Amino acid sequence: MTSSNGPSAPTAVPRRRRSTPAVGDREDLPDRIWTVPNALSVLRLLGVPLFLWLLLGPEEDGWALVVLMVSGFTDWADGKIARWLDQGSRLGALLDPAADRLYIVCTLVALALREVVPVWLVAVLVGRELVLGVMLLVLRAHGYPPLQVHYLGKAATFLLLYAFPLLLLADGEGALSTVAAPFAWALTIWGAALYLVAGAFYVVQVVGLVARDRAASRS
């Protein structure tokens, strides 16, 4: 996948990327900034501090719920629009998962501070992000760009981003909260499990790339 038969393998970064589609796809995207999907990703990022203020400041759960719903819609829309209008870009490939991860981490921390979710769940999922951050540093040290997001990671993000609004609803009172609670926790449990599995796959990929590099350097 990344090895080379010649003695110059450790420095042959361009050849390694061409022979590794899972790593190089993002690098093949156009280098453009001003696109509709990128604007939606930036809008989603700007919604993070607003959401945190609404949830932890005045505790306006209704408006915080609206921000989360808009975030979930833009997360779906930017990918669709990028394909419809052929507006994929390197920046978009970085912004979209970054916005998703930031929302997930910030929302988990905020919900834990409000005692809506247990602290251990936050620790596990934030720990996963820290491990992936170390993996990114390893990739850069070996001359690789960030790996493509695994489809399990996309599914997990989808589940978690839809679980959070339901968790807010379930934290209230009345019949709607009672109905929302089992769906909220089902999405949270499945989303968290897939999130961890996707993270494990990412680590395995990185370890495999590094092992091939070391094997090539010894050949």
Side-chain angles (χ1 to χ4, degrees):
M1 187 173 179
T2 63
S3 61
S4 171
N5 293 325
S8 61
T11 58
V13 174
R15 184 186 307 170
R16 185 170 59 205
R17 287 178 181 174
R18 284 197 300 268
S19 63
T20 311
V23 176
D25 288 348
R26 180 184 283 119
E27 296 299 300
D28 295 335
L29 291 170
D31 190 11
R32 52 191 175 191
I33 298 175
W34 305 109
T35 67
V36 175
N38 288 353
L40 290 175
S41 293
V42 171
L43 177 64
R44 196 153 79 253
L45 284 168
L46 293 176
V48 173
L50 175 60
F51 168 76
L52 290 176
W53 177 76
L54 288 169
L55 196 63
L56 300 177
E59 297 191 1
E60 292 286 349
D61 291 359
W63 286 110
L65 185 61
V66 170
V67 173
L68 271 182
M69 293 174 67
V70 170
S71 170
F73 174 76
T74 57
D75 182 43
W76 169 84
D78 62 10
K80 290 291 185 182
I81 292 173
R83 288 188 288 272
W84 288 342
L85 302 182
D86 191 23
Q87 290 190 347
S89 66
R90 294 184 191 178
L91 179 61
L94 292 173
L95 279 179
D96 184 48
D100 290 342
R101 286 176 177 174
L102 186 60
Y103 253 109
I104 287 172
V105 171
C106 291
T107 303
L108 279 171
V109 171
L111 292 178
L113 290 174
R114 288 278 304 272
E115 299 182 348
V116 176
V117 297
V119 174
W120 64 264
L121 178 63
V122 180
V124 168
L125 296 186
V126 172
R128 182 257 198 198
E129 294 303 317
L130 292 176
V131 171
L132 293 196
V134 173
M135 293 299 102
L136 285 176
L137 294 177
V138 172
L139 286 173
R140 290 185 185 278
H142 286 263
Y144 289 105
L147 300 180
Q148 291 284 73
V149 177
H150 197 277
Y151 74 92
L152 284 180
K154 294 179 180 179
T157 299
F158 175 85
L159 291 174
L160 288 174
L161 289 178
Y162 280 87
F164 294 150
L166 290 175
L167 285 171
L168 275 178
L169 281 176
D171 190 50
E173 297 178 355
L176 185 59
S177 298
T178 303
V179 172
F183 294 100
W185 285 106
L187 289 174
T188 300
I189 293 169
W190 278 104
L194 287 179
Y195 209 57
L196 293 176
V197 171
F201 282 170
Y202 198 97
V203 172
V204 169
Q205 284 182 287
V206 173
V207 170
L209 291 172
V210 172
R212 288 183 178 90
D213 272 358
R214 291 178 176 174
S217 66
R218 290 194 297 265
S219 62

